Amino acid sequence: MKKRIGSLLLILALCFTLLPTAAFAAENTQEPTEPQEPQETQDTETWGDKADTSWYNKDEAVFHIKTAGQLAGIAKLVNEGTVTFEGKTVYLDNDLDLAGIEWISIGTGRGGLNDDKPYCFCGTFDGQGHVISNLYSRDSLLVANEDNVRNLYRTGLFGNVNGGEIRNLGVLDADVSIDSNDVSAAGEAILVDFLVNGKITNCWTTGKIASGSYLEKNIGGIVGVTLRKCTISGCYSTATLTGNFTNSEGYYTEPNPADWPCDTIGGIVGARFDNNLTVTDCWFDGKIVVNSIQAAVGGIVGYTDDQLGSGTVNNCMVTTTDMGVDKDGNTCWVAYALDGTVGNCYWPNDTKYRPSPLEADQGTPVSDFTSAGVLTGLQTNASKDVKWVAGIDHPTFKWDERHISADYTAVDAALAKVPEDLTGYTDSSVAALKDAINAVVRGKNITE
């Protein structure tokens, strides 16, 4: 049976209640697996309590921030509904560590769709290659059918980006968890929960994100949900994404679970809701866990259908085989795409999943991602300004030092000079030489 999400109904519902009306058909009513145990929250102090807005001047168009408090200041300004940063650029000048305190997303669930921009980040955020570490976010102080008093239904670094761009930024070791009783629907992600008419370029995430069991979620390693025209390029994630939807609190009263909606889980994007989404030159090497009774899963895009627009996934790569599946087998290597285009992509040479439900040529299954053919194919079809290079286990981007091998040229040259016959040397010299040879560690990246 053809499966789809009622995108229009969901969007209309979001406008008024943030509650879901999506439906995802299933063929049987197998009992759901148990969801993950909700994780304990940290201290009640949040980065909202440490927000520094002293650097902001409404008459300026360019800002440079250097501290976690200043980053939290962006959230404070945006979440009050008076500042959107539209037409402004924020540069991150340092690596930041958010450890030990709960993050409050930049942009809230009050953020509007289309041209309604209050409570959204609408400017450009340029990480300049810097890294934000240890993002810790929970949706834990929730009151049913009211705004979450902390994150207002958002848990990512950015909760709501409308018409803006996030670029050149890494999020390392994120820990994001949605409460089991969270009554909100729609997107949750590590970088951007809700992306409206926006763009993300040269960004990456690691860590983990897990959804709640009360209602279905749209979970992504980079973005949760896209609306209107969105573009994501040159990004990757190695995060672990877990779907837990089981209707645990009985919100859906239909007796047949086949009539309940589903989680959507994507290594890069959870789901496209309307208008066009283009994902190019991205890769995923994380893990997807499906505890959901129903879930549409894709290594790049979790779900896109043939309603209200189209999705394009081009020149992308999925290298992991650690992707779960629901009871109905709704997992695809690249995208659970019912319409649109999937082209020149690469995925594991394993027939347990299709690349997508589409019939056209979608790319190539791969047994060895380090082969020259994979790199050549990616670079030949790369988008403008994207440079693929050889990586440690698979191709990656020229700027991605974490997955590019350290230079062993000098080590190899020294090893080549070791004589085969060591009988003329003292025992202590030979022992020291062997210790030095054995101390060589292969597989280190440039940063190591």
Side-chain angles (χ1 to χ4, degrees), residues 275-304:
N275 212 297
N276 296 336
L277 164 66
T278 300
V279 181
T280 62
D281 298 287
C282 292
W283 61 264
F284 177 65
D285 191 26
K287 179 179 180 180
I288 296 177
V289 179
V290 180
N291 296 324
S292 322
I293 188 171
Q294 295 171 176
V297 176
I300 300 297
V301 177
Y303 185 88
T304 179

PDB file of all heavy atoms in Angstrom, residues 275-304:
ATOM      1  N   ASN A 275       6.461  22.593  -0.529  1.00  0.00           N
ATOM      2  CA  ASN A 275       7.350  23.230  -1.494  1.00  0.00           C
ATOM      3  C   ASN A 275       8.564  22.344  -1.722  1.00  0.00           C
ATOM      4  O   ASN A 275       8.544  21.160  -1.412  1.00  0.00           O
ATOM      5  CB  ASN A 275       7.739  24.646  -1.051  1.00  0.00           C
ATOM      6  CG  ASN A 275       7.943  25.574  -2.234  1.00  0.00           C
ATOM      7  OD1 ASN A 275       8.827  25.355  -3.054  1.00  0.00           O
ATOM      8  ND2 ASN A 275       7.118  26.610  -2.329  1.00  0.00           N
ATOM      9  N   ASN A 276       9.618  22.895  -2.294  1.00  0.00           N
ATOM     10  CA  ASN A 276      10.727  22.056  -2.745  1.00  0.00           C
ATOM     11  C   ASN A 276      11.882  22.027  -1.748  1.00  0.00           C
ATOM     12  O   ASN A 276      12.248  23.043  -1.168  1.00  0.00           O
ATOM     13  CB  ASN A 276      11.244  22.555  -4.094  1.00  0.00           C
ATOM     14  CG  ASN A 276      10.199  22.438  -5.189  1.00  0.00           C
ATOM     15  OD1 ASN A 276       9.283  21.629  -5.094  1.00  0.00           O
ATOM     16  ND2 ASN A 276      10.325  23.252  -6.221  1.00  0.00           N
ATOM     17  N   LEU A 277      12.446  20.852  -1.590  1.00  0.00           N
ATOM     18  CA  LEU A 277      13.645  20.653  -0.796  1.00  0.00           C
ATOM     19  C   LEU A 277      14.726  20.072  -1.695  1.00  0.00           C
ATOM     20  O   LEU A 277      14.491  19.101  -2.415  1.00  0.00           O
ATOM     21  CB  LEU A 277      13.375  19.679   0.356  1.00  0.00           C
ATOM     22  CG  LEU A 277      14.621  19.089   1.042  1.00  0.00           C
ATOM     23  CD1 LEU A 277      15.398  20.180   1.774  1.00  0.00           C
ATOM     24  CD2 LEU A 277      14.222  17.970   1.995  1.00  0.00           C
ATOM     25  N   THR A 278      15.914  20.668  -1.648  1.00  0.00           N
ATOM     26  CA  THR A 278      17.054  20.149  -2.400  1.00  0.00           C
ATOM     27  C   THR A 278      18.186  19.828  -1.428  1.00  0.00           C
ATOM     28  O   THR A 278      18.651  20.706  -0.699  1.00  0.00           O
ATOM     29  CB  THR A 278      17.550  21.171  -3.434  1.00  0.00           C
ATOM     30  OG1 THR A 278      16.493  21.471  -4.349  1.00  0.00           O
ATOM     31  CG2 THR A 278      18.736  20.610  -4.214  1.00  0.00           C
ATOM     32  N   VAL A 279      18.589  18.562  -1.413  1.00  0.00           N
ATOM     33  CA  VAL A 279      19.709  18.124  -0.591  1.00  0.00           C
ATOM     34  C   VAL A 279      20.789  17.603  -1.534  1.00  0.00           C
ATOM     35  O   VAL A 279      20.574  16.631  -2.260  1.00  0.00           O
ATOM     36  CB  VAL A 279      19.299  17.014   0.395  1.00  0.00           C
ATOM     37  CG1 VAL A 279      20.497  16.608   1.258  1.00  0.00           C
ATOM     38  CG2 VAL A 279      18.140  17.478   1.277  1.00  0.00           C
ATOM     39  N   THR A 280      21.936  18.266  -1.537  1.00  0.00           N
ATOM     40  CA  THR A 280      23.022  17.863  -2.432  1.00  0.00           C
ATOM     41  C   THR A 280      24.321  17.718  -1.654  1.00  0.00           C
ATOM     42  O   THR A 280      24.562  18.426  -0.666  1.00  0.00           O
ATOM     43  CB  THR A 280      23.236  18.891  -3.560  1.00  0.00           C
ATOM     44  OG1 THR A 280      23.606  20.152  -2.983  1.00  0.00           O
ATOM     45  CG2 THR A 280      21.980  19.077  -4.388  1.00  0.00           C
ATOM     46  N   ASP A 281      25.164  16.786  -2.113  1.00  0.00           N
ATOM     47  CA  ASP A 281      26.520  16.646  -1.581  1.00  0.00           C
ATOM     48  C   ASP A 281      26.525  16.537  -0.054  1.00  0.00           C
ATOM     49  O   ASP A 281      27.195  17.305   0.643  1.00  0.00           O
ATOM     50  CB  ASP A 281      27.378  17.831  -2.031  1.00  0.00           C
ATOM     51  CG  ASP A 281      27.512  17.898  -3.540  1.00  0.00           C
ATOM     52  OD1 ASP A 281      28.237  17.063  -4.110  1.00  0.00           O
ATOM     53  OD2 ASP A 281      26.862  18.771  -4.151  1.00  0.00           O
ATOM     54  N   CYS A 282      25.778  15.585   0.461  1.00  0.00           N
ATOM     55  CA  CYS A 282      25.751  15.328   1.891  1.00  0.00           C
ATOM     56  C   CYS A 282      26.053  13.854   2.152  1.00  0.00           C
ATOM     57  O   CYS A 282      25.866  13.016   1.270  1.00  0.00           O
ATOM     58  CB  CYS A 282      24.383  15.671   2.486  1.00  0.00           C
ATOM     59  SG  CYS A 282      23.985  17.443   2.475  1.00  0.00           S
ATOM     60  N   TRP A 283      26.518  13.541   3.362  1.00  0.00           N
ATOM     61  CA  TRP A 283      26.720  12.139   3.702  1.00  0.00           C
ATOM     62  C   TRP A 283      26.319  11.858   5.139  1.00  0.00           C
ATOM     63  O   TRP A 283      26.324  12.736   5.998  1.00  0.00           O
ATOM     64  CB  TRP A 283      28.141  11.674   3.422  1.00  0.00           C
ATOM     65  CG  TRP A 283      29.292  12.320   4.130  1.00  0.00           C
ATOM     66  CD1 TRP A 283      30.076  13.345   3.672  1.00  0.00           C
ATOM     67  CD2 TRP A 283      29.841  11.958   5.412  1.00  0.00           C
ATOM     68  NE1 TRP A 283      31.062  13.642   4.579  1.00  0.00           N
ATOM     69  CE2 TRP A 283      30.959  12.804   5.652  1.00  0.00           C
ATOM     70  CE3 TRP A 283      29.513  10.997   6.371  1.00  0.00           C
ATOM     71  CZ2 TRP A 283      31.718  12.731   6.825  1.00  0.00           C
ATOM     72  CZ3 TRP A 283      30.275  10.913   7.531  1.00  0.00           C
ATOM     73  CH2 TRP A 283      31.363  11.773   7.745  1.00  0.00           C
ATOM     74  N   PHE A 284      25.940  10.578   5.367  1.00  0.00           N
ATOM     75  CA  PHE A 284      25.516  10.136   6.699  1.00  0.00           C
ATOM     76  C   PHE A 284      26.228   8.846   7.047  1.00  0.00           C
ATOM     77  O   PHE A 284      26.239   7.889   6.269  1.00  0.00           O
ATOM     78  CB  PHE A 284      24.000   9.920   6.727  1.00  0.00           C
ATOM     79  CG  PHE A 284      23.491   9.396   8.044  1.00  0.00           C
ATOM     80  CD1 PHE A 284      23.582  10.172   9.191  1.00  0.00           C
ATOM     81  CD2 PHE A 284      22.921   8.130   8.146  1.00  0.00           C
ATOM     82  CE1 PHE A 284      23.113   9.703  10.420  1.00  0.00           C
ATOM     83  CE2 PHE A 284      22.453   7.651   9.365  1.00  0.00           C
ATOM     84  CZ  PHE A 284      22.546   8.436  10.503  1.00  0.00           C
ATOM     85  N   ASP A 285      26.841   8.821   8.232  1.00  0.00           N
ATOM     86  CA  ASP A 285      27.528   7.631   8.711  1.00  0.00           C
ATOM     87  C   ASP A 285      27.223   7.427  10.194  1.00  0.00           C
ATOM     88  O   ASP A 285      28.088   7.050  10.975  1.00  0.00           O
ATOM     89  CB  ASP A 285      29.043   7.747   8.488  1.00  0.00           C
ATOM     90  CG  ASP A 285      29.760   6.424   8.720  1.00  0.00           C
ATOM     91  OD1 ASP A 285      29.119   5.369   8.559  1.00  0.00           O
ATOM     92  OD2 ASP A 285      30.948   6.440   9.072  1.00  0.00           O
ATOM     93  N   GLY A 286      25.979   7.686  10.559  1.00  0.00           N
ATOM     94  CA  GLY A 286      25.573   7.522  11.948  1.00  0.00           C
ATOM     95  C   GLY A 286      24.783   6.242  12.165  1.00  0.00           C
ATOM     96  O   GLY A 286      25.029   5.215  11.535  1.00  0.00           O
ATOM     97  N   LYS A 287      23.799   6.328  13.036  1.00  0.00           N
ATOM     98  CA  LYS A 287      22.982   5.169  13.395  1.00  0.00           C
ATOM     99  C   LYS A 287      21.536   5.610  13.533  1.00  0.00           C
ATOM    100  O   LYS A 287      21.259   6.690  14.068  1.00  0.00           O
ATOM    101  CB  LYS A 287      23.479   4.565  14.710  1.00  0.00           C
ATOM    102  CG  LYS A 287      22.689   3.372  15.209  1.00  0.00           C
ATOM    103  CD  LYS A 287      23.294   2.848  16.510  1.00  0.00           C
ATOM    104  CE  LYS A 287      22.528   1.637  17.038  1.00  0.00           C
ATOM    105  NZ  LYS A 287      23.116   1.120  18.305  1.00  0.00           N
ATOM    106  N   ILE A 288      20.610   4.794  13.053  1.00  0.00           N
ATOM    107  CA  ILE A 288      19.184   5.072  13.208  1.00  0.00           C
ATOM    108  C   ILE A 288      18.536   3.907  13.944  1.00  0.00           C
ATOM    109  O   ILE A 288      18.631   2.759  13.514  1.00  0.00           O
ATOM    110  CB  ILE A 288      18.500   5.307  11.855  1.00  0.00           C
ATOM    111  CG1 ILE A 288      19.065   6.572  11.191  1.00  0.00           C
ATOM    112  CG2 ILE A 288      16.986   5.444  12.034  1.00  0.00           C
ATOM    113  CD1 ILE A 288      18.503   6.867   9.815  1.00  0.00           C
ATOM    114  N   VAL A 289      17.897   4.222  15.065  1.00  0.00           N
ATOM    115  CA  VAL A 289      17.219   3.221  15.886  1.00  0.00           C
ATOM    116  C   VAL A 289      15.716   3.443  15.760  1.00  0.00           C
ATOM    117  O   VAL A 289      15.230   4.567  15.935  1.00  0.00           O
ATOM    118  CB  VAL A 289      17.643   3.333  17.362  1.00  0.00           C
ATOM    119  CG1 VAL A 289      16.916   2.289  18.215  1.00  0.00           C
ATOM    120  CG2 VAL A 289      19.151   3.181  17.501  1.00  0.00           C
ATOM    121  N   VAL A 290      14.982   2.386  15.475  1.00  0.00           N
ATOM    122  CA  VAL A 290      13.535   2.500  15.308  1.00  0.00           C
ATOM    123  C   VAL A 290      12.842   1.706  16.409  1.00  0.00           C
ATOM    124  O   VAL A 290      12.713   0.484  16.334  1.00  0.00           O
ATOM    125  CB  VAL A 290      13.087   2.011  13.922  1.00  0.00           C
ATOM    126  CG1 VAL A 290      11.567   2.156  13.781  1.00  0.00           C
ATOM    127  CG2 VAL A 290      13.791   2.798  12.825  1.00  0.00           C
ATOM    128  N   ASN A 291      12.407   2.418  17.453  1.00  0.00           N
ATOM    129  CA  ASN A 291      11.525   1.841  18.459  1.00  0.00           C
ATOM    130  C   ASN A 291      10.076   2.211  18.172  1.00  0.00           C
ATOM    131  O   ASN A 291       9.180   1.826  18.921  1.00  0.00           O
ATOM    132  CB  ASN A 291      11.908   2.344  19.856  1.00  0.00           C
ATOM    133  CG  ASN A 291      13.302   1.902  20.265  1.00  0.00           C
ATOM    134  OD1 ASN A 291      13.728   0.802  19.930  1.00  0.00           O
ATOM    135  ND2 ASN A 291      14.028   2.758  20.974  1.00  0.00           N
ATOM    136  N   SER A 292       9.850   2.968  17.130  1.00  0.00           N
ATOM    137  CA  SER A 292       8.529   3.460  16.754  1.00  0.00           C
ATOM    138  C   SER A 292       7.668   2.314  16.226  1.00  0.00           C
ATOM    139  O   SER A 292       8.160   1.421  15.531  1.00  0.00           O
ATOM    140  CB  SER A 292       8.657   4.520  15.663  1.00  0.00           C
ATOM    141  OG  SER A 292       9.781   5.337  15.874  1.00  0.00           O
ATOM    142  N   ILE A 293       6.380   2.387  16.491  1.00  0.00           N
ATOM    143  CA  ILE A 293       5.489   1.396  15.920  1.00  0.00           C
ATOM    144  C   ILE A 293       5.416   1.552  14.409  1.00  0.00           C
ATOM    145  O   ILE A 293       5.264   0.575  13.677  1.00  0.00           O
ATOM    146  CB  ILE A 293       4.083   1.481  16.555  1.00  0.00           C
ATOM    147  CG1 ILE A 293       3.231   0.292  16.087  1.00  0.00           C
ATOM    148  CG2 ILE A 293       3.397   2.812  16.241  1.00  0.00           C
ATOM    149  CD1 ILE A 293       1.922   0.158  16.811  1.00  0.00           C
ATOM    150  N   GLN A 294       5.595   2.790  13.926  1.00  0.00           N
ATOM    151  CA  GLN A 294       5.630   3.062  12.488  1.00  0.00           C
ATOM    152  C   GLN A 294       6.628   4.189  12.247  1.00  0.00           C
ATOM    153  O   GLN A 294       6.651   5.168  12.977  1.00  0.00           O
ATOM    154  CB  GLN A 294       4.256   3.461  11.961  1.00  0.00           C
ATOM    155  CG  GLN A 294       3.239   2.369  12.056  1.00  0.00           C
ATOM    156  CD  GLN A 294       1.821   2.831  11.735  1.00  0.00           C
ATOM    157  OE1 GLN A 294       0.928   2.008  11.703  1.00  0.00           O
ATOM    158  NE2 GLN A 294       1.612   4.106  11.516  1.00  0.00           N
ATOM    159  N   ALA A 295       7.447   4.028  11.198  1.00  0.00           N
ATOM    160  CA  ALA A 295       8.442   5.064  10.901  1.00  0.00           C
ATOM    161  C   ALA A 295       8.866   4.976   9.453  1.00  0.00           C
ATOM    162  O   ALA A 295       9.104   3.885   8.931  1.00  0.00           O
ATOM    163  CB  ALA A 295       9.657   4.915  11.813  1.00  0.00           C
ATOM    164  N   ALA A 296       8.957   6.132   8.801  1.00  0.00           N
ATOM    165  CA  ALA A 296       9.559   6.235   7.474  1.00  0.00           C
ATOM    166  C   ALA A 296      10.991   6.688   7.674  1.00  0.00           C
ATOM    167  O   ALA A 296      11.250   7.713   8.309  1.00  0.00           O
ATOM    168  CB  ALA A 296       8.800   7.239   6.613  1.00  0.00           C
ATOM    169  N   VAL A 297      11.948   5.915   7.160  1.00  0.00           N
ATOM    170  CA  VAL A 297      13.359   6.141   7.455  1.00  0.00           C
ATOM    171  C   VAL A 297      14.159   6.251   6.167  1.00  0.00           C
ATOM    172  O   VAL A 297      13.969   5.470   5.231  1.00  0.00           O
ATOM    173  CB  VAL A 297      13.917   4.974   8.301  1.00  0.00           C
ATOM    174  CG1 VAL A 297      15.410   5.145   8.533  1.00  0.00           C
ATOM    175  CG2 VAL A 297      13.172   4.885   9.636  1.00  0.00           C
ATOM    176  N   GLY A 298      15.076   7.215   6.125  1.00  0.00           N
ATOM    177  CA  GLY A 298      16.012   7.347   5.011  1.00  0.00           C
ATOM    178  C   GLY A 298      17.365   7.812   5.516  1.00  0.00           C
ATOM    179  O   GLY A 298      17.441   8.632   6.443  1.00  0.00           O
ATOM    180  N   GLY A 299      18.434   7.310   4.920  1.00  0.00           N
ATOM    181  CA  GLY A 299      19.766   7.704   5.342  1.00  0.00           C
ATOM    182  C   GLY A 299      20.046   9.182   5.126  1.00  0.00           C
ATOM    183  O   GLY A 299      20.825   9.782   5.868  1.00  0.00           O
ATOM    184  N   ILE A 300      19.415   9.790   4.131  1.00  0.00           N
ATOM    185  CA  ILE A 300      19.565  11.230   3.885  1.00  0.00           C
ATOM    186  C   ILE A 300      18.285  11.974   4.262  1.00  0.00           C
ATOM    187  O   ILE A 300      18.300  12.874   5.083  1.00  0.00           O
ATOM    188  CB  ILE A 300      19.940  11.511   2.415  1.00  0.00           C
ATOM    189  CG1 ILE A 300      21.262  10.820   2.058  1.00  0.00           C
ATOM    190  CG2 ILE A 300      20.057  13.014   2.180  1.00  0.00           C
ATOM    191  CD1 ILE A 300      22.466  11.301   2.828  1.00  0.00           C
ATOM    192  N   VAL A 301      17.163  11.611   3.664  1.00  0.00           N
ATOM    193  CA  VAL A 301      15.872  12.239   3.966  1.00  0.00           C
ATOM    194  C   VAL A 301      14.895  11.172   4.451  1.00  0.00           C
ATOM    195  O   VAL A 301      14.697  10.154   3.782  1.00  0.00           O
ATOM    196  CB  VAL A 301      15.290  12.952   2.728  1.00  0.00           C
ATOM    197  CG1 VAL A 301      13.910  13.531   3.040  1.00  0.00           C
ATOM    198  CG2 VAL A 301      16.230  14.062   2.268  1.00  0.00           C
ATOM    199  N   GLY A 302      14.282  11.428   5.596  1.00  0.00           N
ATOM    200  CA  GLY A 302      13.345  10.455   6.150  1.00  0.00           C
ATOM    201  C   GLY A 302      12.100  10.295   5.310  1.00  0.00           C
ATOM    202  O   GLY A 302      11.668   9.172   5.043  1.00  0.00           O
ATOM    203  N   TYR A 303      11.513  11.415   4.872  1.00  0.00           N
ATOM    204  CA  TYR A 303      10.254  11.307   4.141  1.00  0.00           C
ATOM    205  C   TYR A 303      10.008  12.534   3.269  1.00  0.00           C
ATOM    206  O   TYR A 303      10.211  13.673   3.693  1.00  0.00           O
ATOM    207  CB  TYR A 303       9.080  11.166   5.114  1.00  0.00           C
ATOM    208  CG  TYR A 303       7.750  10.921   4.445  1.00  0.00           C
ATOM    209  CD1 TYR A 303       7.326   9.635   4.156  1.00  0.00           C
ATOM    210  CD2 TYR A 303       6.914  11.981   4.082  1.00  0.00           C
ATOM    211  CE1 TYR A 303       6.105   9.396   3.530  1.00  0.00           C
ATOM    212  CE2 TYR A 303       5.704  11.761   3.460  1.00  0.00           C
ATOM    213  CZ  TYR A 303       5.299  10.474   3.184  1.00  0.00           C
ATOM    214  OH  TYR A 303       4.102  10.246   2.558  1.00  0.00           O
ATOM    215  N   THR A 304       9.578  12.284   2.035  1.00  0.00           N
ATOM    216  CA  THR A 304       9.042  13.331   1.169  1.00  0.00           C
ATOM    217  C   THR A 304       8.046  12.682   0.223  1.00  0.00           C
ATOM    218  O   THR A 304       8.268  11.568  -0.255  1.00  0.00           O
ATOM    219  CB  THR A 304      10.152  14.060   0.382  1.00  0.00           C
ATOM    220  OG1 THR A 304       9.561  15.065  -0.461  1.00  0.00           O
ATOM    221  CG2 THR A 304      10.978  13.115  -0.460  1.00  0.00           C
TER     222      THR A 304
END
